[in-house]
């Protein structure tokens, strides 16, 4: 039986109405799409959806820049699907940088494509290529995948691109780097000379100023990053944690009520190690990283989506595009190396009006460097700590406790006082001491069995 979702989505009260500048564009949209839009509760398009709809429908090439979680997928899908004809071969190609993102876009595209009787095929690396070749014989109109696998299939003449009308590069600044840039351009060589191009992202890179040189097409830019207001309230915490205490901080965080998070690591080796330790401590965790088999990756993400685990330990493979509706938190176990990476990682929470928290772990030195790194993005960063089962801003902790903490060694446990805490951000679950002990023992038994 499916488990009940552990966390709730919190939305701004009038979130759907915050994003739109003008009235509904209903008369322009295919009526089936329009009905489905309403059924999903999407009464109006978001700003990026509104701005690129007409140009994409007219066949123009565009670059769409809009914040994480602002509805870019439908911004390109709906107008481009409207141009696709039934049984005329592959006409729309969507490229994404990760298997999970390509799978997610496929799922969304299928919902809308079936309304107009079109077939969507996912061509992701890691999945069974023979099955993909079989399905290609059934002549899908839309293909969505990762660049390497799509190029391989195009070169083997299994994926025929001569009828393609439009290409979408989602998370384009990420895709258009190094080998994936080469793969994307090679893929385009299998398509007709004139093809519509659409690039989307929440962040810019230099290549966006040279799209004409690289792709030989004029690209119209729609940048709504400053105006879009779809993002919910996101609180960014700096939690000072010595390196050796990070696992323990993760454990404490995982005990907060209605809490689940994506946890970003720098190194895959460290993830495995952390997962073992956390499991031993009774924390429900899963791992998502590039070296795993596709089924394992899928399972891990599904577990997070269903609320079956509280922590999904991952790398930047999960930083881009993933839409885990209502995800309460993102944790940076290792701080990101640049501000764009931070933008994408934290963009997994606080999407489309939902609120969220971001927890950055590091020692004093790391956090100081990190502040400088993201300075230009104007995030409000607050020092926070897990105190009596709640994640609080340091200034919310009673003065006398804070002072006593300051005078003690940082590694000592926080002194408990009976004083009531006001406005906790998140309240810890009730502890079931006995159960926890049982779990620990089980962990020990399990470890022994595996030795
Ligand atoms: P982005 O690609 O900009 O990060 P997504 O396309 O993943 O964002 O969309 C984020 C979420 O917003 C999805 O869950 C999607 O279903 C929802 N969404 C899309 N369009 C609208 C809309 N017009 N109104 C409300 N929610 C929407
Ligand atoms: Mg997206």
């Amino acid at each position: 039986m499916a488990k009940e979702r552990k966390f709730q989505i919190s939305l701004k009260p009038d979130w759907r109405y915050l994003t739109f500048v003008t009235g509904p564009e209903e008369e322009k949209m295919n009526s089936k799409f329009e009905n489905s839009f309403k059924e999903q509760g999407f009464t109006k398009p978001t700003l990026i959806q509104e701005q690129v709809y007409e140009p994409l429908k007219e066949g123009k090439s565009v670059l769409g820049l809009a914040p994480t979680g602002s509805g870019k997928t439908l911004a390109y899908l709906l107008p481009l699907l409207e141009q696709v004809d039934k049984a005329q071969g592959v006409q729309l190609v969507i490229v994404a940088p990760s298997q999970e993102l390509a799978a997610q876009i496929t799922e969304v595209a299928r919902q809308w494509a079936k309304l107009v009787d079109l077939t969507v095929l996912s061509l992701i690396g890691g999945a069974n290529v023979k099955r993909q070749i079989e399905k290609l014989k059934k002549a899908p109109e839309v293909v969505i995948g990762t660049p390497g696998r799509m190029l391989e299939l195009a070169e083997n003449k299994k994926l025929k691109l001569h009828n393609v009308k439009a290409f979408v590069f989602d998370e384009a600044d990420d895709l258009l780097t190094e080998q994936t840039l080469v793969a994307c351009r090679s893929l385009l060589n299998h398509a007709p000379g004139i093809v519509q191009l659409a690039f989307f992202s929440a962040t810019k890179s230099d290549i966006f100023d040279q799209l004409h040189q690289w792709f030989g097409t004029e690209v119209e830019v729609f940048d709504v990053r400053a105006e879009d207001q779809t993002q919910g309230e996101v609180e960014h915490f700096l939690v000072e944690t010595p390196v050796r205490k990070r696992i323990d901080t993760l454990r404490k965080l995982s005990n907060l009520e209605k809490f689940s998070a994506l946890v970003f690591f720098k190194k895959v080796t460290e993830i495995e190690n952390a997962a073992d330790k956390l499991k031993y401590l009774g924390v429900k965790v899963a791992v998502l990283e590039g070296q795993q088999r596709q089924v394992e990756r899928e399972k891990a993400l599904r577990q997070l989506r269903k609320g079956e685990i509280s922590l999904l330990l991952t790398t930047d493979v999960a930083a881009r595009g993933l839409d885990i509706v209502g995800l309460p938190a993102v944790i940076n176990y290792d701080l990101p190396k640049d501000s764009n990476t931070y933008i994408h990682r934290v963009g997994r929470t606080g999407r489309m009006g939902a609120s969220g928290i971001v927890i950055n772990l590091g020692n004093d030195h790391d956090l100081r460097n990190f502040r400088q790194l993201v300075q230009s993005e104007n995030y409000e960063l607050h020092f926070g700590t897990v105190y009596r089962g709640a994640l609080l801003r340091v200034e919310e902790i009673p003065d006398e406790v804070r002072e006593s903490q300051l005078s003690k060694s940082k590694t000592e446990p926080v002194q408990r006082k009976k004083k009531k805490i006001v406005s906790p951000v998140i309240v810890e679950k009730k502890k079931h001491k006995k159960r926890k002990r049982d779990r620990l023992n089980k962990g020990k038994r399990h470890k022994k069995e595996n030795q």
Side-chain angles (χ1 to χ4, degrees), residues 15-16 19-20 37 40-46 48-49 66-74 104 170-171 321-323 325 347-348 351-352:
W15 64 287
R16 267 172 210 139
T19 49
F20 316 115
F37 215 78
Q40 301 207 22
F42 304 167
T43 50
K44 292 175 183 179
T46 64
I48 188 69
Q49 290 169 355
T68 51
S70 64
K72 293 188 284 297
T73 318
L74 291 184
Q104 177 185 297
D170 202 342
E171 303 297 338
L322 298 186
D323 187 49
V325 177
R348 301 313 102 216
R351 298 170 69 76
M352 200 54 83

mmCIF file of all heavy atoms in Angstrom, residues 15-16 19-20 37 40-46 48-49 66-74 104 170-171 321-323 325 347-348 351-352, ligand 1:
data_model
loop_
_atom_site.group_PDB
_atom_site.id
_atom_site.type_symbol
_atom_site.label_atom_id
_atom_site.label_comp_id
_atom_site.label_asym_id
_atom_site.label_seq_id
_atom_site.Cartn_x
_atom_site.Cartn_y
_atom_site.Cartn_z
ATOM 1 N N TRP A 15 -1.321 32.243 -4.926
ATOM 2 C CA TRP A 15 -0.121 32.031 -5.738
ATOM 3 C C TRP A 15 -0.374 32.009 -7.224
ATOM 4 O O TRP A 15 0.437 32.469 -7.992
ATOM 5 C CB TRP A 15 0.566 30.747 -5.310
ATOM 6 C CG TRP A 15 -0.254 29.531 -5.539
ATOM 7 C CD1 TRP A 15 -1.343 29.152 -4.832
ATOM 8 C CD2 TRP A 15 -0.071 28.559 -6.542
ATOM 9 N NE1 TRP A 15 -1.849 27.999 -5.317
ATOM 10 C CE2 TRP A 15 -1.086 27.606 -6.381
ATOM 11 C CE3 TRP A 15 0.847 28.376 -7.574
ATOM 12 C CZ2 TRP A 15 -1.212 26.499 -7.190
ATOM 13 C CZ3 TRP A 15 0.722 27.272 -8.376
ATOM 14 C CH2 TRP A 15 -0.301 26.350 -8.182
ATOM 15 N N ARG A 16 -1.497 31.444 -7.629
ATOM 16 C CA ARG A 16 -1.726 31.310 -9.067
ATOM 17 C C ARG A 16 -1.917 32.647 -9.750
ATOM 18 O O ARG A 16 -1.793 32.774 -10.944
ATOM 19 C CB ARG A 16 -2.955 30.475 -9.318
ATOM 20 C CG ARG A 16 -2.574 29.036 -9.483
ATOM 21 C CD ARG A 16 -3.762 28.163 -9.546
ATOM 22 N NE ARG A 16 -3.356 26.901 -9.002
ATOM 23 C CZ ARG A 16 -4.089 26.169 -8.199
ATOM 24 N NH1 ARG A 16 -5.271 26.572 -7.831
ATOM 25 N NH2 ARG A 16 -3.631 25.047 -7.749
ATOM 26 N N THR A 19 1.489 35.569 -10.807
ATOM 27 C CA THR A 19 2.498 35.468 -11.846
ATOM 28 C C THR A 19 2.140 36.162 -13.159
ATOM 29 O O THR A 19 2.974 36.263 -14.030
ATOM 30 C CB THR A 19 2.728 33.992 -12.157
ATOM 31 O OG1 THR A 19 1.463 33.385 -12.351
ATOM 32 C CG2 THR A 19 3.453 33.310 -11.051
ATOM 33 N N PHE A 20 0.952 36.578 -13.288
ATOM 34 C CA PHE A 20 0.526 36.966 -14.629
ATOM 35 C C PHE A 20 0.406 38.472 -14.795
ATOM 36 O O PHE A 20 -0.108 39.149 -13.936
ATOM 37 C CB PHE A 20 -0.795 36.298 -14.963
ATOM 38 C CG PHE A 20 -0.773 34.866 -14.547
ATOM 39 C CD1 PHE A 20 -1.601 34.385 -13.573
ATOM 40 C CD2 PHE A 20 0.164 34.011 -15.097
ATOM 41 C CE1 PHE A 20 -1.541 33.073 -13.175
ATOM 42 C CE2 PHE A 20 0.246 32.698 -14.709
ATOM 43 C CZ PHE A 20 -0.616 32.224 -13.743
ATOM 44 N N PHE A 37 -5.371 22.505 -19.025
ATOM 45 C CA PHE A 37 -4.741 23.557 -18.220
ATOM 46 C C PHE A 37 -5.633 23.889 -17.033
ATOM 47 O O PHE A 37 -5.191 23.940 -15.882
ATOM 48 C CB PHE A 37 -4.568 24.795 -19.110
ATOM 49 C CG PHE A 37 -3.326 25.590 -18.835
ATOM 50 C CD1 PHE A 37 -2.100 25.167 -19.298
ATOM 51 C CD2 PHE A 37 -3.388 26.787 -18.129
ATOM 52 C CE1 PHE A 37 -0.946 25.898 -19.059
ATOM 53 C CE2 PHE A 37 -2.249 27.528 -17.877
ATOM 54 C CZ PHE A 37 -1.023 27.083 -18.350
ATOM 55 N N GLN A 40 -6.009 21.082 -14.380
ATOM 56 C CA GLN A 40 -4.866 20.970 -13.465
ATOM 57 C C GLN A 40 -4.818 22.119 -12.461
ATOM 58 O O GLN A 40 -3.935 22.183 -11.625
ATOM 59 C CB GLN A 40 -3.561 20.948 -14.257
ATOM 60 C CG GLN A 40 -3.524 19.805 -15.223
ATOM 61 C CD GLN A 40 -2.106 19.350 -15.532
ATOM 62 O OE1 GLN A 40 -1.183 19.588 -14.780
ATOM 63 N NE2 GLN A 40 -1.954 18.692 -16.649
ATOM 64 N N GLY A 41 -5.749 23.033 -12.611
ATOM 65 C CA GLY A 41 -5.770 24.180 -11.703
ATOM 66 C C GLY A 41 -4.867 25.306 -12.171
ATOM 67 O O GLY A 41 -4.661 26.287 -11.462
ATOM 68 N N PHE A 42 -4.335 25.174 -13.373
ATOM 69 C CA PHE A 42 -3.482 26.236 -13.916
ATOM 70 C C PHE A 42 -4.391 27.209 -14.657
ATOM 71 O O PHE A 42 -4.611 27.062 -15.845
ATOM 72 C CB PHE A 42 -2.466 25.698 -14.917
ATOM 73 C CG PHE A 42 -1.571 24.603 -14.420
ATOM 74 C CD1 PHE A 42 -0.815 23.869 -15.317
ATOM 75 C CD2 PHE A 42 -1.447 24.311 -13.075
ATOM 76 C CE1 PHE A 42 0.035 22.864 -14.887
ATOM 77 C CE2 PHE A 42 -0.608 23.308 -12.629
ATOM 78 C CZ PHE A 42 0.129 22.575 -13.544
ATOM 79 N N THR A 43 -4.921 28.172 -13.945
ATOM 80 C CA THR A 43 -5.903 29.029 -14.611
ATOM 81 C C THR A 43 -5.278 29.994 -15.610
ATOM 82 O O THR A 43 -5.920 30.398 -16.551
ATOM 83 C CB THR A 43 -6.729 29.825 -13.581
ATOM 84 O OG1 THR A 43 -5.799 30.426 -12.693
ATOM 85 C CG2 THR A 43 -7.696 28.929 -12.838
ATOM 86 N N LYS A 44 -4.022 30.351 -15.370
ATOM 87 C CA LYS A 44 -3.366 31.308 -16.269
ATOM 88 C C LYS A 44 -1.925 30.901 -16.519
ATOM 89 O O LYS A 44 -1.310 30.258 -15.676
ATOM 90 C CB LYS A 44 -3.380 32.707 -15.655
ATOM 91 C CG LYS A 44 -4.765 33.293 -15.573
ATOM 92 C CD LYS A 44 -4.728 34.605 -14.844
ATOM 93 C CE LYS A 44 -6.139 35.172 -14.701
ATOM 94 N NZ LYS A 44 -6.153 36.429 -13.975
ATOM 95 N N PRO A 45 -1.396 31.305 -17.666
ATOM 96 C CA PRO A 45 0.016 30.983 -17.914
ATOM 97 C C PRO A 45 0.953 31.811 -17.034
ATOM 98 O O PRO A 45 0.610 32.914 -16.624
ATOM 99 C CB PRO A 45 0.221 31.346 -19.385
ATOM 100 C CG PRO A 45 -0.866 32.296 -19.717
ATOM 101 C CD PRO A 45 -2.010 32.026 -18.800
ATOM 102 N N THR A 46 2.125 31.269 -16.765
ATOM 103 C CA THR A 46 3.125 32.060 -16.040
ATOM 104 C C THR A 46 3.768 33.027 -17.041
ATOM 105 O O THR A 46 3.530 32.939 -18.239
ATOM 106 C CB THR A 46 4.211 31.154 -15.422
ATOM 107 O OG1 THR A 46 4.916 30.521 -16.482
ATOM 108 C CG2 THR A 46 3.632 30.116 -14.487
ATOM 109 N N ILE A 48 6.791 33.403 -18.287
ATOM 110 C CA ILE A 48 7.596 32.855 -19.393
ATOM 111 C C ILE A 48 6.679 32.125 -20.377
ATOM 112 O O ILE A 48 6.875 32.214 -21.597
ATOM 113 C CB ILE A 48 8.764 31.941 -18.881
ATOM 114 C CG1 ILE A 48 9.704 31.553 -20.021
ATOM 115 C CG2 ILE A 48 8.275 30.697 -18.173
ATOM 116 C CD1 ILE A 48 10.522 32.668 -20.583
ATOM 117 N N GLN A 49 5.660 31.457 -19.860
ATOM 118 C CA GLN A 49 4.722 30.764 -20.751
ATOM 119 C C GLN A 49 4.019 31.757 -21.664
ATOM 120 O O GLN A 49 3.827 31.516 -22.853
ATOM 121 C CB GLN A 49 3.694 29.976 -19.921
ATOM 122 C CG GLN A 49 4.312 28.765 -19.221
ATOM 123 C CD GLN A 49 3.407 28.116 -18.190
ATOM 124 O OE1 GLN A 49 2.312 28.613 -17.891
ATOM 125 N NE2 GLN A 49 3.868 27.015 -17.613
ATOM 126 N N ALA A 66 14.104 32.058 -17.285
ATOM 127 C CA ALA A 66 13.129 32.276 -16.206
ATOM 128 C C ALA A 66 13.566 31.454 -15.006
ATOM 129 O O ALA A 66 14.211 30.412 -15.167
ATOM 130 C CB ALA A 66 11.747 31.849 -16.672
ATOM 131 N N PRO A 67 13.217 31.894 -13.789
ATOM 132 C CA PRO A 67 13.715 31.221 -12.581
ATOM 133 C C PRO A 67 13.348 29.741 -12.515
ATOM 134 O O PRO A 67 12.456 29.283 -13.237
ATOM 135 C CB PRO A 67 13.027 31.976 -11.439
ATOM 136 C CG PRO A 67 12.592 33.256 -12.017
ATOM 137 C CD PRO A 67 12.340 33.027 -13.469
ATOM 138 N N THR A 68 13.998 29.030 -11.626
ATOM 139 C CA THR A 68 13.682 27.618 -11.402
ATOM 140 C C THR A 68 12.224 27.521 -10.928
ATOM 141 O O THR A 68 11.748 28.364 -10.169
ATOM 142 C CB THR A 68 14.597 27.033 -10.307
ATOM 143 O OG1 THR A 68 14.547 27.896 -9.162
ATOM 144 C CG2 THR A 68 16.033 26.920 -10.770
ATOM 145 N N GLY A 69 11.528 26.527 -11.432
ATOM 146 C CA GLY A 69 10.150 26.285 -10.993
ATOM 147 C C GLY A 69 9.119 27.258 -11.526
ATOM 148 O O GLY A 69 8.040 27.399 -10.957
ATOM 149 N N SER A 70 9.425 27.936 -12.630
ATOM 150 C CA SER A 70 8.481 28.945 -13.133
ATOM 151 C C SER A 70 7.696 28.445 -14.352
ATOM 152 O O SER A 70 7.080 29.232 -15.060
ATOM 153 C CB SER A 70 9.229 30.238 -13.474
ATOM 154 O OG SER A 70 10.146 30.010 -14.531
ATOM 155 N N GLY A 71 7.724 27.144 -14.595
ATOM 156 C CA GLY A 71 6.881 26.576 -15.657
ATOM 157 C C GLY A 71 7.485 26.605 -17.056
ATOM 158 O O GLY A 71 6.751 26.698 -18.042
ATOM 159 N N LYS A 72 8.796 26.454 -17.149
ATOM 160 C CA LYS A 72 9.432 26.516 -18.479
ATOM 161 C C LYS A 72 9.058 25.303 -19.347
ATOM 162 O O LYS A 72 8.962 25.429 -20.561
ATOM 163 C CB LYS A 72 10.963 26.613 -18.325
ATOM 164 C CG LYS A 72 11.404 27.944 -17.696
ATOM 165 C CD LYS A 72 12.890 28.137 -17.725
ATOM 166 C CE LYS A 72 13.642 27.315 -16.701
ATOM 167 N NZ LYS A 72 13.321 27.641 -15.281
ATOM 168 N N THR A 73 8.829 24.155 -18.713
ATOM 169 C CA THR A 73 8.516 22.952 -19.508
ATOM 170 C C THR A 73 7.282 23.184 -20.376
ATOM 171 O O THR A 73 7.310 22.954 -21.590
ATOM 172 C CB THR A 73 8.275 21.736 -18.575
ATOM 173 O OG1 THR A 73 9.250 21.763 -17.533
ATOM 174 C CG2 THR A 73 8.342 20.431 -19.317
ATOM 175 N N LEU A 74 6.209 23.636 -19.762
ATOM 176 C CA LEU A 74 4.995 23.872 -20.555
ATOM 177 C C LEU A 74 5.160 25.089 -21.465
ATOM 178 O O LEU A 74 4.498 25.180 -22.495
ATOM 179 C CB LEU A 74 3.778 24.043 -19.653
ATOM 180 C CG LEU A 74 3.339 22.778 -18.913
ATOM 181 C CD1 LEU A 74 2.057 23.048 -18.121
ATOM 182 C CD2 LEU A 74 3.127 21.615 -19.874
ATOM 183 N N GLN A 104 11.345 12.983 -16.655
ATOM 184 C CA GLN A 104 10.300 13.881 -16.119
ATOM 185 C C GLN A 104 9.603 14.663 -17.248
ATOM 186 O O GLN A 104 8.386 14.774 -17.280
ATOM 187 C CB GLN A 104 10.952 14.839 -15.127
ATOM 188 C CG GLN A 104 10.018 15.877 -14.548
ATOM 189 C CD GLN A 104 10.809 16.845 -13.668
ATOM 190 O OE1 GLN A 104 11.385 16.443 -12.670
ATOM 191 N NE2 GLN A 104 10.848 18.114 -14.032
ATOM 192 N N ASP A 170 16.760 21.973 -23.096
ATOM 193 C CA ASP A 170 16.351 22.378 -21.746
ATOM 194 C C ASP A 170 17.613 22.380 -20.878
ATOM 195 O O ASP A 170 18.488 21.539 -21.062
ATOM 196 C CB ASP A 170 15.311 21.398 -21.195
ATOM 197 C CG ASP A 170 14.482 22.014 -20.084
ATOM 198 O OD1 ASP A 170 14.923 23.039 -19.507
ATOM 199 O OD2 ASP A 170 13.401 21.482 -19.778
ATOM 200 N N GLU A 171 17.682 23.293 -19.929
ATOM 201 C CA GLU A 171 18.914 23.499 -19.145
ATOM 202 C C GLU A 171 20.069 23.751 -20.120
ATOM 203 O O GLU A 171 21.140 23.132 -20.035
ATOM 204 C CB GLU A 171 19.212 22.286 -18.245
ATOM 205 C CG GLU A 171 18.102 21.913 -17.284
ATOM 206 C CD GLU A 171 17.786 22.991 -16.250
ATOM 207 O OE1 GLU A 171 18.658 23.841 -15.990
ATOM 208 O OE2 GLU A 171 16.650 23.005 -15.737
ATOM 209 N N GLY A 321 16.547 20.998 -12.988
ATOM 210 C CA GLY A 321 15.266 20.697 -13.614
ATOM 211 C C GLY A 321 14.288 19.840 -12.846
ATOM 212 O O GLY A 321 13.104 19.860 -13.145
ATOM 213 N N LEU A 322 14.752 19.066 -11.860
ATOM 214 C CA LEU A 322 13.828 18.121 -11.232
ATOM 215 C C LEU A 322 12.717 18.842 -10.471
ATOM 216 O O LEU A 322 12.969 19.762 -9.701
ATOM 217 C CB LEU A 322 14.579 17.147 -10.316
ATOM 218 C CG LEU A 322 15.607 16.266 -11.017
ATOM 219 C CD1 LEU A 322 16.196 15.250 -10.054
ATOM 220 C CD2 LEU A 322 14.997 15.565 -12.221
ATOM 221 N N ASP A 323 11.509 18.386 -10.722
ATOM 222 C CA ASP A 323 10.328 19.010 -10.125
ATOM 223 C C ASP A 323 9.724 18.027 -9.125
ATOM 224 O O ASP A 323 8.899 17.200 -9.491
ATOM 225 C CB ASP A 323 9.334 19.340 -11.253
ATOM 226 C CG ASP A 323 8.145 20.144 -10.757
ATOM 227 O OD1 ASP A 323 8.362 21.146 -10.046
ATOM 228 O OD2 ASP A 323 6.995 19.760 -11.070
ATOM 229 N N VAL A 325 7.411 17.983 -6.436
ATOM 230 C CA VAL A 325 6.413 18.944 -5.958
ATOM 231 C C VAL A 325 6.381 18.981 -4.423
ATOM 232 O O VAL A 325 6.243 17.948 -3.769
ATOM 233 C CB VAL A 325 5.023 18.619 -6.538
ATOM 234 C CG1 VAL A 325 3.965 19.572 -5.988
ATOM 235 C CG2 VAL A 325 5.058 18.703 -8.060
ATOM 236 N N GLY A 347 16.898 25.583 -6.303
ATOM 237 C CA GLY A 347 15.670 25.667 -7.092
ATOM 238 C C GLY A 347 14.846 24.398 -7.086
ATOM 239 O O GLY A 347 13.771 24.344 -7.682
ATOM 240 N N ARG A 348 15.321 23.349 -6.383
ATOM 241 C CA ARG A 348 14.488 22.140 -6.253
ATOM 242 C C ARG A 348 13.433 22.347 -5.179
ATOM 243 O O ARG A 348 12.510 21.558 -5.058
ATOM 244 C CB ARG A 348 15.335 20.902 -5.883
ATOM 245 C CG ARG A 348 16.442 20.486 -6.827
ATOM 246 C CD ARG A 348 16.032 20.452 -8.257
ATOM 247 N NE ARG A 348 16.530 21.627 -8.945
ATOM 248 C CZ ARG A 348 15.872 22.272 -9.898
ATOM 249 N NH1 ARG A 348 14.666 21.893 -10.265
ATOM 250 N NH2 ARG A 348 16.382 23.330 -10.485
ATOM 251 N N ARG A 351 9.276 25.860 -5.327
ATOM 252 C CA ARG A 351 8.829 25.959 -6.718
ATOM 253 C C ARG A 351 7.357 26.321 -6.816
ATOM 254 O O ARG A 351 6.549 25.846 -6.050
ATOM 255 C CB ARG A 351 9.093 24.627 -7.433
ATOM 256 C CG ARG A 351 10.574 24.281 -7.475
ATOM 257 C CD ARG A 351 10.813 22.867 -7.949
ATOM 258 N NE ARG A 351 10.496 22.642 -9.337
ATOM 259 C CZ ARG A 351 11.242 23.029 -10.356
ATOM 260 N NH1 ARG A 351 12.355 23.686 -10.122
ATOM 261 N NH2 ARG A 351 10.886 22.773 -11.595
ATOM 262 N N MET A 352 7.041 27.143 -7.775
ATOM 263 C CA MET A 352 5.670 27.544 -8.099
ATOM 264 C C MET A 352 4.842 27.837 -6.837
ATOM 265 O O MET A 352 3.822 27.219 -6.571
ATOM 266 C CB MET A 352 5.023 26.436 -8.941
ATOM 267 C CG MET A 352 3.823 26.870 -9.747
ATOM 268 S SD MET A 352 4.085 28.279 -10.819
ATOM 269 C CE MET A 352 4.824 27.541 -12.265
HETATM 270 P P1 LIG B 1 10.903 25.060 -14.579
HETATM 271 O O1 LIG B 1 11.192 24.234 -15.799
HETATM 272 O O2 LIG B 1 10.759 26.501 -14.874
HETATM 273 O O3 LIG B 1 11.845 24.800 -13.466
HETATM 274 P P2 LIG B 1 8.578 23.357 -14.433
HETATM 275 O O4 LIG B 1 8.223 23.406 -15.870
HETATM 276 O O5 LIG B 1 9.231 22.124 -13.939
HETATM 277 O O6 LIG B 1 9.475 24.620 -14.036
HETATM 278 O O7 LIG B 1 7.250 23.666 -13.617
HETATM 279 C C1 LIG B 1 7.225 23.754 -12.212
HETATM 280 C C2 LIG B 1 5.872 23.347 -11.679
HETATM 281 O O8 LIG B 1 4.894 24.312 -12.042
HETATM 282 C C3 LIG B 1 5.371 22.025 -12.231
HETATM 283 O O9 LIG B 1 4.928 21.218 -11.154
HETATM 284 C C4 LIG B 1 4.233 22.401 -13.148
HETATM 285 O O10 LIG B 1 3.234 21.420 -13.190
HETATM 286 C C5 LIG B 1 3.722 23.693 -12.543
HETATM 287 N N1 LIG B 1 3.130 24.653 -13.511
HETATM 288 C C6 LIG B 1 3.462 24.816 -14.804
HETATM 289 N N2 LIG B 1 2.728 25.809 -15.370
HETATM 290 C C7 LIG B 1 1.918 26.291 -14.411
HETATM 291 C C8 LIG B 1 0.919 27.327 -14.378
HETATM 292 N N3 LIG B 1 0.639 28.056 -15.437
HETATM 293 N N4 LIG B 1 0.282 27.540 -13.212
HETATM 294 C C9 LIG B 1 0.582 26.804 -12.122
HETATM 295 N N5 LIG B 1 1.494 25.821 -12.082
HETATM 296 C C10 LIG B 1 2.163 25.547 -13.212
#
